[in-house]
Structure formats: C-alpha cells, structure tokens
Coordinates of all heavy atoms in Angstrom, one line a residue:
M996 N -143.2 106.6 44.2 CA -141.9 106.3 44.8 C -141.2 105.3 43.9 O -140.0 105.4 43.7 CB -142.2 105.7 46.2 CG -140.9 105.4 46.9 SD -140.3 107.0 47.5 CE -139.1 106.4 48.6
A997 N -141.9 104.3 43.3 CA -141.2 103.4 42.4 C -140.7 104.1 41.2 O -139.6 103.7 40.7 CB -142.2 102.3 42.1
F998 N -141.4 105.1 40.7 CA -140.9 105.8 39.5 C -139.6 106.5 39.8 O -138.7 106.5 38.9 CB -142.0 106.9 39.2 CG -141.6 107.8 38.0 CD1 -141.6 107.3 36.7 CD2 -141.1 109.0 38.2 CE1 -141.2 108.1 35.7 CE2 -140.7 109.8 37.2 CZ -140.8 109.4 35.9
Y999 N -139.4 107.0 41.0 CA -138.1 107.7 41.3 C -136.9 106.6 41.3 O -135.8 106.9 40.9 CB -138.2 108.4 42.6 CG -139.1 109.6 42.5 CD1 -140.3 109.7 43.2 CD2 -138.7 110.7 41.7 CE1 -141.1 110.8 43.1 CE2 -139.5 111.8 41.6 CZ -140.7 111.9 42.3 OH -141.5 113.0 42.2
K1000 N -137.2 105.5 41.9 CA -136.2 104.4 42.0 C -135.8 104.0 40.6 O -134.6 103.8 40.3 CB -136.7 103.2 42.8 CG -136.8 103.5 44.2 CD -137.3 102.2 45.0 CE -137.4 102.5 46.5 NZ -137.8 101.3 47.2
V1001 N -136.8 103.8 39.7 CA -136.5 103.4 38.3 C -135.7 104.5 37.6 O -134.7 104.2 36.9 CB -137.8 103.1 37.5 CG1 -137.5 102.9 36.1 CG2 -138.4 101.8 38.1
G1002 N -136.0 105.7 37.8 CA -135.3 106.9 37.2 C -133.9 106.9 37.7 O -133.0 107.1 36.9
I1003 N -133.7 106.8 39.0 CA -132.3 106.9 39.5 C -131.5 105.7 39.0 O -130.3 105.9 38.6 CB -132.4 106.9 41.1 CG1 -132.9 108.2 41.5 CG2 -131.0 106.7 41.7 CD1 -133.2 108.3 43.0
L1004 N -132.0 104.5 39.0 CA -131.3 103.3 38.5 C -131.0 103.5 37.0 O -129.9 103.1 36.6 CB -132.1 102.0 38.8 CG -132.2 101.6 40.2 CD1 -133.1 100.4 40.3 CD2 -130.8 101.2 40.7
S1005 N -131.9 104.0 36.3 CA -131.6 104.2 34.8 C -130.5 105.2 34.7 O -129.6 105.1 33.8 CB -132.9 104.7 34.1 OG -133.9 103.8 34.2
L1006 N -130.5 106.3 35.4 CA -129.5 107.3 35.4 C -128.1 106.8 35.7 O -127.1 107.0 35.0 CB -129.8 108.5 36.3 CG -128.9 109.7 36.3 CD1 -128.8 110.3 34.9 CD2 -129.3 110.7 37.3
L1007 N -128.1 106.0 36.8 CA -126.8 105.3 37.2 C -126.3 104.4 36.1 O -125.1 104.3 35.8 CB -127.0 104.6 38.5 CG -127.1 105.4 39.8 CD1 -127.4 104.6 41.0 CD2 -125.8 106.2 40.0
L1008 N -127.2 103.6 35.5 CA -126.8 102.7 34.5 C -126.2 103.4 33.3 O -125.2 103.0 32.7 CB -128.0 101.8 34.1 CG -127.8 100.8 33.0 CD1 -126.7 99.8 33.4 CD2 -129.0 100.1 32.5
L1009 N -126.9 104.5 32.8 CA -126.4 105.2 31.7 C -125.1 105.9 32.0 O -124.2 106.0 31.1 CB -127.5 106.3 31.2 CG -128.7 105.7 30.6 CD1 -129.8 106.8 30.4 CD2 -128.4 105.0 29.3
S1010 N -125.0 106.4 33.2 CA -123.7 107.0 33.6 C -122.6 106.0 33.5 O -121.5 106.3 33.1 CB -123.8 107.7 35.0 OG -124.8 108.7 35.0
G1011 N -122.8 104.8 34.0 CA -121.8 103.8 34.0 C -121.4 103.4 32.6 O -120.2 103.2 32.3
I1012 N -122.4 103.3 31.8 CA -122.1 102.9 30.4 C -121.2 104.0 29.7 O -120.3 103.7 29.0 CB -123.4 102.7 29.6 CG1 -124.1 101.4 30.1 CG2 -123.1 102.6 28.1 CD1 -125.4 101.2 29.5
F1013 N -121.6 105.2 30.0 CA -120.8 106.4 29.4 C -119.4 106.4 29.9 O -118.5 106.5 29.1 CB -121.5 107.7 29.8 CG -120.8 108.9 29.4 CD1 -120.8 109.3 28.0 CD2 -120.1 109.7 30.2 CE1 -120.2 110.4 27.6 CE2 -119.4 110.8 29.8 CZ -119.4 111.2 28.5
L1014 N -119.2 106.2 31.2 CA -117.8 106.1 31.8 C -117.0 105.0 31.3 O -115.9 105.1 31.0 CB -117.9 106.1 33.3 CG -118.4 107.4 33.9 CD1 -118.5 107.3 35.4 CD2 -117.5 108.6 33.6
L1015 N -117.7 103.8 31.1 CA -117.0 102.6 30.6 C -116.6 102.9 29.1 O -115.5 102.5 28.7 CB -117.8 101.4 30.7 CG -117.9 100.8 32.1 CD1 -118.9 99.6 32.1 CD2 -116.6 100.3 32.6
G1016 N -117.4 103.5 28.4 CA -117.1 103.9 27.0 C -115.9 104.7 26.9 O -115.1 104.6 26.0
I1017 N -115.8 105.7 27.7 CA -114.6 106.6 27.7 C -113.4 105.8 28.1 O -112.3 106.0 27.5 CB -114.8 107.8 28.7 CG1 -115.9 108.7 28.2 CG2 -113.5 108.5 29.0 CD1 -116.3 109.8 29.1
E1018 N -113.5 105.0 29.1 CA -112.3 104.2 29.5 C -111.8 103.3 28.4 O -110.6 103.2 28.2 CB -112.7 103.3 30.8 CG -111.5 102.6 31.3 CD -110.4 103.4 31.9 OE1 -110.8 104.5 32.4 OE2 -109.3 103.0 31.9
V1019 N -112.7 102.6 27.7 CA -112.3 101.7 26.6 C -111.6 102.6 25.5 O -110.7 102.1 24.9 CB -113.5 101.0 26.1 CG1 -113.2 100.3 24.8 CG2 -114.0 100.0 27.1
E1020 N -112.2 103.7 25.2 CA -111.6 104.6 24.1 C -110.2 104.9 24.4 O -109.3 104.8 23.6 CB -112.5 105.8 24.0 CG -111.9 106.8 22.9 CD -112.8 108.0 22.8 OE1 -114.0 108.0 23.1 OE2 -112.2 109.1 22.4
Y1021 N -109.9 105.4 25.7 CA -108.6 105.7 26.0 C -107.7 104.5 26.2 O -106.5 104.5 25.9 CB -108.5 106.5 27.3 CG -109.0 107.9 27.2 CD1 -110.2 108.4 27.8 CD2 -108.3 108.8 26.4 CE1 -110.6 109.7 27.7 CE2 -108.8 110.1 26.2 CZ -109.9 110.5 26.8 OH -110.4 111.8 26.7
G1022 N -108.2 103.4 26.6 CA -107.4 102.1 26.7 C -106.9 101.7 25.4 O -105.8 101.2 25.2
N1023 N -107.7 101.8 24.3 CA -107.3 101.4 23.0 C -106.3 102.3 22.4 O -105.5 101.9 21.5 CB -108.5 101.3 22.1 CG -109.4 100.1 22.4 OD1 -109.0 99.2 23.1 ND2 -110.7 100.2 22.0
A1024 N -106.2 103.5 22.8 CA -105.3 104.5 22.2 C -103.8 104.3 22.8 O -102.9 104.8 22.2 CB -105.7 105.9 22.6
Q1025 N -103.7 103.5 23.8 CA -102.3 103.3 24.4 C -101.5 102.3 23.6 O -102.1 101.4 23.0 CB -102.4 102.8 25.8 CG -103.0 103.9 26.8 CD -103.2 103.3 28.2 OE1 -103.0 102.2 28.4 NE2 -103.5 104.2 29.1
K1026 N -100.2 102.5 23.6 CA -99.3 101.6 22.8 C -99.2 100.3 23.6 O -99.0 100.3 24.8 CB -98.0 102.3 22.7 CG -97.0 101.6 22.0 CD -95.7 102.4 21.9 CE -94.6 101.7 21.2 NZ -93.4 102.5 21.2
M1027 N -99.3 99.2 22.9 CA -99.2 97.9 23.5 C -97.9 97.3 22.9 O -97.7 97.3 21.7 CB -100.4 97.0 23.2 CG -101.6 97.4 23.9 SD -102.9 96.2 23.6 CE -102.2 94.7 24.2
C1028 N -97.0 96.8 23.8 CA -95.8 96.2 23.4 C -95.8 94.8 23.9 O -96.0 94.5 25.0 CB -94.6 96.9 24.0 SG -94.3 98.6 23.4
L1029 N -95.5 93.9 23.0 CA -95.4 92.4 23.3 C -94.0 92.2 23.9 O -93.0 92.7 23.3 CB -95.7 91.6 22.1 CG -97.1 91.6 21.6 CD1 -97.2 90.8 20.3 CD2 -98.1 91.2 22.6
Q1030 N -93.9 91.4 24.9 CA -92.6 91.1 25.5 C -92.0 89.9 24.8 O -92.0 88.8 25.3 CB -92.8 90.8 27.0 CG -93.3 92.0 27.8 CD -92.4 93.1 27.8 OE1 -91.2 93.0 27.9 NE2 -92.9 94.3 27.7
V1031 N -91.6 90.1 23.5 CA -91.1 89.0 22.7 C -89.7 89.4 22.3 O -89.5 90.5 21.8 CB -92.0 88.8 21.5 CG1 -91.4 87.7 20.6 CG2 -93.4 88.4 21.9
C1032 N -88.8 88.4 22.3 CA -87.4 88.7 21.9 C -87.4 88.7 20.3 O -88.0 87.8 19.7 CB -86.5 87.6 22.4 SG -86.3 87.5 24.1
D1033 N -86.7 89.6 19.7 CA -86.5 89.7 18.3 C -85.2 89.0 18.0 O -84.1 89.5 18.3 CB -86.5 91.1 17.8 CG -86.4 91.2 16.3 OD1 -86.2 90.2 15.6 OD2 -86.6 92.4 15.8
N1034 N -85.3 87.8 17.4 CA -84.1 87.0 17.1 C -83.2 87.7 16.1 O -82.0 87.3 16.0 CB -84.5 85.6 16.6 CG -85.2 84.8 17.7 OD1 -85.0 85.0 18.9 ND2 -86.1 83.9 17.3
E1035 N -83.6 88.6 15.4 CA -82.8 89.3 14.4 C -81.8 90.3 15.1 O -80.8 90.7 14.5 CB -83.7 90.1 13.4 CG -83.0 90.6 12.2 CD -84.0 91.3 11.3 OE1 -85.2 91.6 11.6 OE2 -83.6 91.5 10.1
V1036 N -82.1 90.7 16.3 CA -81.3 91.6 17.0 C -80.0 90.9 17.5 O -80.0 90.0 18.3 CB -82.0 92.3 18.2 CG1 -81.1 93.2 19.0 CG2 -83.2 93.0 17.8
A1037 N -78.8 91.4 17.0 CA -77.6 90.8 17.4 C -77.0 91.6 18.6 O -76.4 91.0 19.5 CB -76.6 90.8 16.3
Y1038 N -77.1 92.9 18.6 CA -76.7 93.7 19.7 C -77.4 95.1 19.7 O -78.1 95.4 18.7 CB -75.1 93.9 19.6 CG -74.7 94.7 18.4 CD1 -74.5 96.1 18.5 CD2 -74.4 94.1 17.2 CE1 -74.1 96.9 17.5 CE2 -74.0 94.9 16.1 CZ -73.8 96.2 16.3 OH -73.4 97.0 15.2
M1039 N -77.2 95.8 20.8 CA -77.8 97.2 20.8 C -76.8 98.1 21.5 O -75.9 97.7 22.2 CB -79.2 97.2 21.5 CG -79.1 96.9 23.0 SD -80.8 97.0 23.6 CE -80.5 97.1 25.4
T1040 N -77.0 99.4 21.2 CA -76.3 100.4 21.9 C -77.3 101.4 22.6 O -78.4 101.6 22.0 CB -75.3 101.2 21.0 OG1 -76.1 101.8 20.0 CG2 -74.3 100.3 20.4
C1041 N -76.9 101.9 23.7 CA -77.8 102.9 24.4 C -77.0 104.1 24.8 O -75.8 103.9 25.1 CB -78.4 102.2 25.6 SG -79.6 100.9 25.2
P1042 N -77.6 105.2 24.9 CA -76.9 106.4 25.4 C -76.2 106.2 26.7 O -75.1 106.7 26.9 CB -78.0 107.5 25.5 CG -79.1 107.0 24.6 CD -79.0 105.5 24.6
S1043 N -76.8 105.4 27.6 CA -76.2 105.2 28.9 C -75.0 104.4 28.9 O -74.1 104.4 29.8 CB -77.3 104.5 29.8 OG -77.6 103.3 29.3
S1044 N -74.8 103.6 27.8 CA -73.6 102.7 27.7 C -72.6 103.3 26.7 O -71.5 102.6 26.4 CB -74.0 101.3 27.2 OG -74.5 101.3 25.9
G1045 N -72.8 104.4 26.2 CA -71.9 105.0 25.2 C -71.8 104.2 23.9 O -72.9 103.9 23.4
D1046 N -70.6 103.9 23.4 CA -70.5 103.1 22.2 C -70.4 101.6 22.4 O -70.2 100.8 21.5 CB -69.3 103.6 21.4 CG -69.4 105.0 20.9 OD1 -70.5 105.4 20.6 OD2 -68.4 105.7 20.8
E1047 N -70.6 101.2 23.7 CA -70.4 99.8 24.0 C -71.6 99.0 23.4 O -72.7 99.4 23.5 CB -70.5 99.6 25.5 CG -70.4 98.2 26.0 CD -70.5 98.0 27.5 OE1 -70.5 99.0 28.2 OE2 -70.7 96.9 27.9
K1048 N -71.2 97.9 22.8 CA -72.2 97.0 22.2 C -72.7 96.0 23.3 O -72.0 95.3 23.9 CB -71.6 96.1 21.1 CG -71.2 96.9 19.8 CD -70.6 96.0 18.8 CE -70.2 96.8 17.6 NZ -69.6 96.0 16.5
I1049 N -74.0 96.1 23.5 CA -74.7 95.2 24.5 C -75.2 94.0 23.7 O -76.1 94.1 22.8 CB -75.8 95.9 25.2 CG1 -75.3 97.2 25.8 CG2 -76.5 95.1 26.2 CD1 -76.4 98.2 26.3
T1050 N -74.7 92.8 24.0 CA -75.1 91.6 23.3 C -76.0 90.7 24.2 O -76.1 91.0 25.4 CB -73.9 90.8 22.9 OG1 -73.1 90.5 24.1 CG2 -73.0 91.5 21.9
E1051 N -76.5 89.7 23.7 CA -77.3 88.7 24.4 C -78.5 89.5 25.0 O -78.7 89.4 26.2 CB -76.6 87.9 25.4 CG -75.5 87.1 24.8 CD -74.7 86.2 25.9 OE1 -75.3 86.0 26.9 OE2 -73.6 85.8 25.6
V1052 N -79.2 90.2 24.2 CA -80.3 91.0 24.7 C -81.6 90.3 24.3 O -81.7 89.7 23.2 CB -80.3 92.4 24.2 CG1 -79.1 93.2 24.8 CG2 -80.2 92.5 22.7
C1053 N -82.7 90.5 25.1 CA -84.0 90.0 24.7 C -84.9 91.3 24.6 O -85.4 91.7 25.6 CB -84.5 89.0 25.8 SG -86.2 88.5 25.4
V1054 N -84.9 91.8 23.4 CA -85.6 93.1 23.2 C -86.1 93.1 21.8 O -85.7 92.3 21.0 CB -84.6 94.3 23.5 CG1 -83.5 94.3 22.4 CG2 -85.3 95.6 23.6
N1055 N -87.1 94.0 21.6 CA -87.6 94.3 20.2 C -87.7 95.8 20.1 O -87.5 96.5 21.0 CB -88.9 93.5 20.0 CG -90.0 93.9 20.9 OD1 -90.3 95.1 21.1 ND2 -90.7 92.9 21.4
C1056 N -88.1 96.2 18.9 CA -88.2 97.7 18.6 C -89.2 98.4 19.6 O -89.0 99.6 19.9 CB -88.6 97.9 17.2 SG -87.3 97.4 16.0
C1057 N -90.2 97.7 20.0 CA -91.2 98.3 20.9 C -90.8 98.4 22.3 O -91.1 99.3 23.0 CB -92.5 97.5 20.8 SG -93.9 98.2 21.6
T1058 N -90.0 97.4 22.8 CA -89.6 97.4 24.2 C -88.2 98.1 24.5 O -87.8 98.2 25.6 CB -89.5 96.0 24.7 OG1 -88.6 95.2 23.9 CG2 -90.9 95.3 24.6
A1059 N -87.5 98.4 23.4 CA -86.2 99.1 23.6 C -86.4 100.4 24.3 O -87.3 101.2 24.0 CB -85.5 99.3 22.3
D1060 N -85.5 100.8 25.2 CA -85.5 102.1 25.9 C -85.3 103.2 24.9 O -84.7 103.0 23.8 CB -84.4 102.1 27.0 CG -84.8 101.2 28.2 OD1 -85.9 100.9 28.3 OD2 -83.8 100.9 28.9
E1061 N -85.8 104.4 25.3 CA -85.6 105.5 24.4 C -84.2 105.8 24.1 O -83.3 105.8 25.0 CB -86.2 106.8 25.1 CG -86.2 108.0 24.3 CD -86.9 109.2 25.0 OE1 -87.5 109.0 26.1 OE2 -86.8 110.3 24.4
G1062 N -83.8 106.0 22.9 CA -82.5 106.3 22.4 C -81.6 105.1 22.1 O -80.6 105.2 21.5
C1063 N -82.1 103.9 22.6 CA -81.3 102.7 22.3 C -81.5 102.3 20.8 O -82.6 102.5 20.2 CB -81.8 101.5 23.2 SG -81.4 101.8 24.9
K1064 N -80.4 101.8 20.2 CA -80.5 101.4 18.8 C -80.2 99.9 18.7 O -79.3 99.4 19.3 CB -79.4 102.1 18.0 CG -79.7 103.6 17.9 CD -78.6 104.3 17.1 CE -78.9 105.8 17.1 NZ -77.9 106.6 16.3
L1065 N -81.1 99.2 17.9 CA -80.9 97.8 17.7 C -80.3 97.5 16.4 O -80.7 98.1 15.4 CB -82.3 97.1 17.8 CG -83.2 97.4 19.0 CD1 -84.5 96.7 19.0 CD2 -82.4 97.1 20.3
F1066 N -79.3 96.6 16.4 CA -78.6 96.3 15.1 C -78.6 94.8 14.8 O -78.7 93.9 15.7 CB -77.1 96.7 15.3 CG -76.9 98.1 15.5 CD1 -76.9 98.7 16.8 CD2 -76.7 99.0 14.4 CE1 -76.7 100.1 16.9 CE2 -76.6 100.3 14.6 CZ -76.5 100.9 15.8
R1067 N -78.5 94.5 13.5 CA -78.4 93.1 13.0 C -76.9 92.7 13.2 O -76.0 93.5 13.4 CB -78.8 93.0 11.6 CG -80.3 93.3 11.3 CD -80.6 93.1 9.9 NE -82.0 93.5 9.6 CZ -82.4 94.7 9.4 NH1 -81.5 95.7 9.3 NH2 -83.7 95.0 9.2
A1068 N -76.6 91.4 12.9 CA -75.3 90.9 13.0 C -74.3 91.6 12.0 O -73.1 91.8 12.3 CB -75.3 89.4 12.8
D1069 N -74.8 92.0 10.8 CA -74.0 92.7 9.8 C -73.8 94.2 10.1 O -73.2 94.9 9.4 CB -74.6 92.5 8.4 CG -76.0 93.2 8.3 OD1 -76.4 93.9 9.2 OD2 -76.5 93.1 7.2
G1070 N -74.3 94.7 11.3 CA -74.1 96.0 11.7 C -75.2 97.0 11.2 O -75.2 98.2 11.5
S1071 N -76.2 96.5 10.4 CA -77.2 97.4 9.9 C -78.2 97.7 11.0 O -78.6 96.8 11.8 CB -77.9 96.8 8.7 OG -78.5 95.6 9.0
L1072 N -78.7 98.9 11.0 CA -79.7 99.4 12.0 C -81.1 98.8 11.8 O -81.5 98.8 10.6 CB -79.8 100.9 12.0 CG -80.7 101.5 13.0 CD1 -80.3 101.3 14.4 CD2 -80.9 103.0 12.7
I1073 N -81.7 98.2 12.8 CA -83.0 97.7 12.7 C -84.0 98.9 13.1 O -84.9 99.2 12.3 CB -83.3 96.5 13.6 CG1 -82.4 95.3 13.2 CG2 -84.7 96.1 13.6 CD1 -82.4 94.2 14.2
C1074 N -83.8 99.5 14.2 CA -84.7 100.5 14.7 C -84.0 101.2 15.9 O -83.0 100.8 16.4 CB -86.0 100.0 15.1 SG -86.0 98.8 16.5
S1075 N -84.7 102.3 16.3 CA -84.3 103.0 17.5 C -85.4 103.0 18.5 O -86.6 103.2 18.1 CB -83.9 104.5 17.2 OG -82.8 104.5 16.4
G1076 N -85.1 102.9 19.8 CA -86.2 103.0 20.8 C -86.8 104.4 20.8 O -86.1 105.4 20.7
T1077 N -88.1 104.4 20.9 CA -88.8 105.7 21.0 C -89.5 105.9 22.3 O -89.8 104.9 23.0 CB -89.8 105.8 19.8 OG1 -90.7 104.7 19.9 CG2 -89.2 105.8 18.5
P1078 N -89.8 107.1 22.7 CA -90.5 107.3 23.9 C -91.9 106.8 23.9 O -92.5 106.7 22.8 CB -90.6 108.8 24.1 CG -90.3 109.4 22.8 CD -89.5 108.4 22.0
E1079 N -92.4 106.3 25.0 CA -93.8 105.7 25.0 C -94.9 106.7 24.9 O -95.0 107.8 25.1 CB -94.0 104.9 26.3 CG -93.1 103.7 26.4 CD -93.3 102.9 27.6 OE1 -94.3 103.1 28.3 OE2 -92.4 102.1 27.9

C-alpha cells in the first residue's frame, strides 16, 4: 500500500514540474514593456487622431498603441507602435 502512495505522489510531483516548466517557457516568450516615459518623445500622432500632434505624452516605443508614431522635437521619427 505504501508503494502505491509513493508512486502516486511521485507521478503528481513530476506532472507538476512538467506543467510549471511549460508555463515558464511561455511566460518568457511574452513581450514585456516597462511603463517608463521616454523623455526624447516630444509628440505623437495616432490614426485615431488624424494628423493632430498629441503633446505631453508619457509613452515609449513599447507602450505606444498600434499605428501611433512617436517623434522628437525636430520632427524626426523615433518609432511606430506595433501590435503586441
């Protein structure tokens, strides 16, 4: 009887380790974005706002919405928001 208990516990332990390993693998593959303001961004434009310049934004290339473009003060493009 004790043999079966040890076998079942071992099987559960190995199954748990296997499932945790899969979860960690997929967790590392996801994109991580830091919620940090990029001080280089002077303004941005988004498809939803047309050509309107949106100023005083706290955004970076990773957190910008899809299709939004971030610009420096001299008008040069920094990056465009990409889908997650």
Side-chain angles (χ1 to χ4, degrees):
M996 186 71 168
F998 177 76
Y999 292 113
K1000 287 183 182 179
V1001 170
I1003 290 173
L1004 287 174
S1005 297
L1006 183 61
L1007 286 173
L1008 179 64
L1009 290 175
S1010 298
I1012 291 171
F1013 177 74
L1014 291 174
L1015 285 174
I1017 290 174
E1018 183 66 31
V1019 169
E1020 180 180 331
Y1021 286 117
N1023 288 340
Q1025 294 177 353
K1026 182 179 177 182
M1027 289 185 59
C1028 293
L1029 297 177
Q1030 300 295 321
V1031 178
C1032 299
D1033 185 349
N1034 294 331
E1035 192 176 14
V1036 176
Y1038 67 94
M1039 72 178 193
T1040 61
C1041 293
S1043 61
S1044 67
D1046 291 331
E1047 181 184 348
K1048 292 181 181 179
I1049 304 167
T1050 58
E1051 298 182 21
V1052 292
C1053 178
V1054 69
N1055 61 46
C1056 292
C1057 187
T1058 59
D1060 289 338
E1061 183 177 356
C1063 292
K1064 296 179 180 181
L1065 307 181
F1066 295 92
R1067 294 180 185 89
D1069 66 1
S1071 61
L1072 178 68
I1073 298 172
C1074 63
S1075 296
T1077 57
E1079 291 182 20

